[in-house]
mmCIF file of all heavy atoms in Angstrom:
data_model
loop_
_atom_site.group_PDB
_atom_site.id
_atom_site.type_symbol
_atom_site.label_atom_id
_atom_site.label_comp_id
_atom_site.label_asym_id
_atom_site.label_seq_id
_atom_site.Cartn_x
_atom_site.Cartn_y
_atom_site.Cartn_z
ATOM 1 N N SER C 20 115.080 48.135 97.675
ATOM 2 C CA SER C 20 115.530 49.525 97.591
ATOM 3 C C SER C 20 116.434 49.921 98.758
ATOM 4 O O SER C 20 117.190 50.883 98.651
ATOM 5 C CB SER C 20 114.325 50.464 97.531
ATOM 6 O OG SER C 20 113.541 50.359 98.697
ATOM 7 N N GLU C 21 116.380 49.191 99.865
ATOM 8 C CA GLU C 21 117.265 49.516 100.987
ATOM 9 C C GLU C 21 118.706 49.133 100.694
ATOM 10 O O GLU C 21 119.618 49.532 101.414
ATOM 11 C CB GLU C 21 116.786 48.827 102.269
ATOM 12 C CG GLU C 21 116.877 47.318 102.268
ATOM 13 C CD GLU C 21 115.687 46.631 101.588
ATOM 14 O OE1 GLU C 21 114.743 47.312 101.178
ATOM 15 O OE2 GLU C 21 115.733 45.407 101.460
ATOM 16 N N ALA C 22 118.955 48.398 99.614
ATOM 17 C CA ALA C 22 120.306 47.978 99.266
ATOM 18 C C ALA C 22 120.962 48.904 98.246
ATOM 19 O O ALA C 22 122.082 48.651 97.826
ATOM 20 C CB ALA C 22 120.289 46.554 98.724
ATOM 21 N N LEU C 23 120.277 49.982 97.847
ATOM 22 C CA LEU C 23 120.871 50.920 96.899
ATOM 23 C C LEU C 23 122.005 51.684 97.566
ATOM 24 O O LEU C 23 121.947 52.006 98.752
ATOM 25 C CB LEU C 23 119.818 51.905 96.388
ATOM 26 C CG LEU C 23 118.730 51.320 95.513
ATOM 27 C CD1 LEU C 23 117.722 52.394 95.151
ATOM 28 C CD2 LEU C 23 119.315 50.717 94.256
ATOM 29 N N VAL C 24 123.050 51.972 96.818
ATOM 30 C CA VAL C 24 124.211 52.670 97.346
ATOM 31 C C VAL C 24 124.560 53.846 96.454
ATOM 32 O O VAL C 24 124.099 53.950 95.323
ATOM 33 C CB VAL C 24 125.438 51.742 97.469
ATOM 34 C CG1 VAL C 24 125.183 50.631 98.450
ATOM 35 C CG2 VAL C 24 125.831 51.192 96.122
ATOM 36 N N THR C 25 125.401 54.724 96.961
ATOM 37 C CA THR C 25 125.930 55.843 96.190
ATOM 38 C C THR C 25 127.418 55.618 95.987
ATOM 39 O O THR C 25 128.147 55.307 96.932
ATOM 40 C CB THR C 25 125.725 57.166 96.956
ATOM 41 O OG1 THR C 25 124.335 57.336 97.187
ATOM 42 C CG2 THR C 25 126.250 58.336 96.167
ATOM 43 N N VAL C 26 127.862 55.779 94.761
ATOM 44 C CA VAL C 26 129.278 55.632 94.453
ATOM 45 C C VAL C 26 129.833 57.029 94.243
ATOM 46 O O VAL C 26 129.336 57.787 93.417
ATOM 47 C CB VAL C 26 129.494 54.776 93.195
ATOM 48 C CG1 VAL C 26 130.967 54.664 92.863
ATOM 49 C CG2 VAL C 26 128.863 53.408 93.387
ATOM 50 N N ILE C 27 130.858 57.399 95.023
ATOM 51 C CA ILE C 27 131.463 58.721 94.953
ATOM 52 C C ILE C 27 132.913 58.566 94.518
ATOM 53 O O ILE C 27 133.672 57.821 95.149
ATOM 54 C CB ILE C 27 131.394 59.433 96.315
ATOM 55 C CG1 ILE C 27 129.940 59.597 96.750
ATOM 56 C CG2 ILE C 27 132.085 60.782 96.269
ATOM 57 C CD1 ILE C 27 129.772 60.123 98.146
ATOM 58 N N PRO C 28 133.296 59.226 93.451
ATOM 59 C CA PRO C 28 134.696 59.113 93.013
ATOM 60 C C PRO C 28 135.632 59.802 93.998
ATOM 61 O O PRO C 28 135.267 60.772 94.656
ATOM 62 C CB PRO C 28 134.699 59.819 91.656
ATOM 63 C CG PRO C 28 133.548 60.748 91.710
ATOM 64 C CD PRO C 28 132.518 60.110 92.583
ATOM 65 N N SER C 29 136.826 59.291 94.123
ATOM 66 C CA SER C 29 137.818 59.909 95.007
ATOM 67 C C SER C 29 139.118 60.084 94.245
ATOM 68 O O SER C 29 139.369 59.431 93.239
ATOM 69 C CB SER C 29 138.045 59.062 96.251
ATOM 70 O OG SER C 29 138.560 57.808 95.888
ATOM 71 N N ALA C 30 139.937 60.968 94.763
ATOM 72 C CA ALA C 30 141.244 61.221 94.162
ATOM 73 C C ALA C 30 142.193 60.083 94.546
ATOM 74 O O ALA C 30 141.873 59.221 95.355
ATOM 75 C CB ALA C 30 141.785 62.561 94.634
ATOM 76 N N ALA C 31 143.377 60.088 93.983
ATOM 77 C CA ALA C 31 144.357 59.027 94.249
ATOM 78 C C ALA C 31 144.757 58.985 95.720
ATOM 79 O O ALA C 31 145.071 57.920 96.248
ATOM 80 C CB ALA C 31 145.584 59.235 93.375
ATOM 81 N N ASN C 32 144.719 60.122 96.404
ATOM 82 C CA ASN C 32 145.112 60.140 97.814
ATOM 83 C C ASN C 32 143.953 59.776 98.743
ATOM 84 O O ASN C 32 144.096 59.826 99.950
ATOM 85 C CB ASN C 32 145.684 61.506 98.195
ATOM 86 C CG ASN C 32 144.667 62.624 98.047
ATOM 87 O OD1 ASN C 32 143.530 62.397 97.656
ATOM 88 N ND2 ASN C 32 145.087 63.841 98.345
ATOM 89 N N GLY C 33 142.785 59.437 98.191
ATOM 90 C CA GLY C 33 141.661 59.013 99.005
ATOM 91 C C GLY C 33 140.692 60.115 99.355
ATOM 92 O O GLY C 33 139.649 59.855 99.944
ATOM 93 N N ALA C 34 141.016 61.368 99.013
ATOM 94 C CA ALA C 34 140.110 62.474 99.315
ATOM 95 C C ALA C 34 138.939 62.457 98.336
ATOM 96 O O ALA C 34 139.108 62.235 97.144
ATOM 97 C CB ALA C 34 140.850 63.808 99.214
ATOM 98 N N ALA C 35 137.748 62.668 98.859
ATOM 99 C CA ALA C 35 136.554 62.676 97.999
ATOM 100 C C ALA C 35 136.569 63.918 97.117
ATOM 101 O O ALA C 35 136.970 65.002 97.542
ATOM 102 C CB ALA C 35 135.301 62.660 98.855
ATOM 103 N N ARG C 36 136.136 63.744 95.890
ATOM 104 C CA ARG C 36 136.067 64.870 94.954
ATOM 105 C C ARG C 36 134.750 65.601 95.135
ATOM 106 O O ARG C 36 133.758 65.023 95.544
ATOM 107 C CB ARG C 36 136.190 64.359 93.524
ATOM 108 C CG ARG C 36 137.569 63.809 93.235
ATOM 109 C CD ARG C 36 137.685 63.240 91.865
ATOM 110 N NE ARG C 36 137.003 64.056 90.860
ATOM 111 C CZ ARG C 36 136.920 63.717 89.595
ATOM 112 N NH1 ARG C 36 137.460 62.595 89.180
ATOM 113 N NH2 ARG C 36 136.296 64.483 88.742
ATOM 114 N N ASN C 37 134.744 66.874 94.797
ATOM 115 C CA ASN C 37 133.533 67.680 94.953
ATOM 116 C C ASN C 37 132.551 67.490 93.812
ATOM 117 O O ASN C 37 131.360 67.651 93.989
ATOM 118 C CB ASN C 37 133.889 69.162 95.091
ATOM 119 C CG ASN C 37 134.552 69.453 96.408
ATOM 120 O OD1 ASN C 37 134.345 68.738 97.380
ATOM 121 N ND2 ASN C 37 135.354 70.490 96.456
ATOM 122 N N ASP C 38 133.038 67.185 92.621
ATOM 123 C CA ASP C 38 132.123 66.960 91.505
ATOM 124 C C ASP C 38 131.747 65.481 91.481
ATOM 125 O O ASP C 38 132.566 64.606 91.652
ATOM 126 C CB ASP C 38 132.740 67.387 90.171
ATOM 127 C CG ASP C 38 133.991 66.594 89.839
ATOM 128 O OD1 ASP C 38 134.580 66.017 90.771
ATOM 129 O OD2 ASP C 38 134.358 66.553 88.663
ATOM 130 N N PHE C 39 130.491 65.204 91.301
ATOM 131 C CA PHE C 39 130.019 63.835 91.356
ATOM 132 C C PHE C 39 129.797 63.268 89.959
ATOM 133 O O PHE C 39 128.928 62.458 89.736
ATOM 134 C CB PHE C 39 128.715 63.764 92.154
ATOM 135 C CG PHE C 39 128.905 64.110 93.588
ATOM 136 C CD1 PHE C 39 128.439 65.306 94.081
ATOM 137 C CD2 PHE C 39 129.559 63.250 94.437
ATOM 138 C CE1 PHE C 39 128.605 65.624 95.406
ATOM 139 C CE2 PHE C 39 129.735 63.564 95.762
ATOM 140 C CZ PHE C 39 129.262 64.757 96.250
ATOM 141 N N SER C 40 130.617 63.689 89.008
ATOM 142 C CA SER C 40 130.467 63.193 87.645
ATOM 143 C C SER C 40 131.491 62.091 87.388
ATOM 144 O O SER C 40 132.611 62.133 87.871
ATOM 145 C CB SER C 40 130.649 64.331 86.657
ATOM 146 O OG SER C 40 131.941 64.895 86.796
ATOM 147 N N PHE C 41 131.079 61.120 86.613
ATOM 148 C CA PHE C 41 131.969 60.045 86.208
ATOM 149 C C PHE C 41 132.290 60.215 84.734
ATOM 150 O O PHE C 41 131.394 60.414 83.915
ATOM 151 C CB PHE C 41 131.303 58.681 86.416
ATOM 152 C CG PHE C 41 131.322 58.208 87.827
ATOM 153 C CD1 PHE C 41 130.222 58.361 88.639
ATOM 154 C CD2 PHE C 41 132.452 57.598 88.340
ATOM 155 C CE1 PHE C 41 130.247 57.918 89.938
ATOM 156 C CE2 PHE C 41 132.482 57.152 89.643
ATOM 157 C CZ PHE C 41 131.381 57.314 90.446
ATOM 158 N N THR C 42 133.536 60.111 84.401
ATOM 159 C CA THR C 42 133.940 60.129 82.998
ATOM 160 C C THR C 42 133.799 58.700 82.456
ATOM 161 O O THR C 42 133.740 57.741 83.241
ATOM 162 C CB THR C 42 135.392 60.600 82.854
ATOM 163 O OG1 THR C 42 136.243 59.660 83.516
ATOM 164 C CG2 THR C 42 135.579 61.983 83.447
ATOM 165 N N PRO C 43 133.748 58.530 81.155
ATOM 166 C CA PRO C 43 133.684 57.165 80.608
ATOM 167 C C PRO C 43 134.867 56.303 81.052
ATOM 168 O O PRO C 43 134.709 55.102 81.288
ATOM 169 C CB PRO C 43 133.683 57.387 79.100
ATOM 170 C CG PRO C 43 133.105 58.753 78.929
ATOM 171 C CD PRO C 43 133.563 59.537 80.115
ATOM 172 N N GLN C 44 136.049 56.915 81.187
ATOM 173 C CA GLN C 44 137.212 56.152 81.640
ATOM 174 C C GLN C 44 137.014 55.671 83.084
ATOM 175 O O GLN C 44 137.358 54.534 83.425
ATOM 176 C CB GLN C 44 138.482 57.015 81.556
ATOM 177 C CG GLN C 44 138.907 57.377 80.156
ATOM 178 C CD GLN C 44 138.161 58.596 79.618
ATOM 179 O OE1 GLN C 44 137.448 59.276 80.347
ATOM 180 N NE2 GLN C 44 138.315 58.850 78.327
ATOM 181 N N MET C 45 136.461 56.531 83.928
ATOM 182 C CA MET C 45 136.228 56.147 85.324
ATOM 183 C C MET C 45 135.212 55.009 85.406
ATOM 184 O O MET C 45 135.354 54.082 86.214
ATOM 185 C CB MET C 45 135.749 57.340 86.139
ATOM 186 C CG MET C 45 136.811 58.399 86.372
ATOM 187 S SD MET C 45 136.146 59.878 87.151
ATOM 188 C CE MET C 45 135.850 59.279 88.788
ATOM 189 N N LEU C 46 134.185 55.060 84.566
ATOM 190 C CA LEU C 46 133.187 53.995 84.568
ATOM 191 C C LEU C 46 133.768 52.673 84.110
ATOM 192 O O LEU C 46 133.452 51.612 84.663
ATOM 193 C CB LEU C 46 131.995 54.397 83.694
ATOM 194 C CG LEU C 46 131.101 55.491 84.262
ATOM 195 C CD1 LEU C 46 130.047 55.899 83.259
ATOM 196 C CD2 LEU C 46 130.459 55.049 85.558
ATOM 197 N N SER C 47 134.639 52.711 83.104
ATOM 198 C CA SER C 47 135.246 51.448 82.648
ATOM 199 C C SER C 47 136.184 50.885 83.712
ATOM 200 O O SER C 47 136.228 49.665 83.917
ATOM 201 C CB SER C 47 135.973 51.660 81.322
ATOM 202 O OG SER C 47 137.090 52.505 81.499
#
């Protein structure tokens, strides 16, 4: 369990997005 990570989507310029939702396209 110490190896679990969080994946946060970011915009094209590298800035982190405020919404933590993934679209099906982002997951693919």
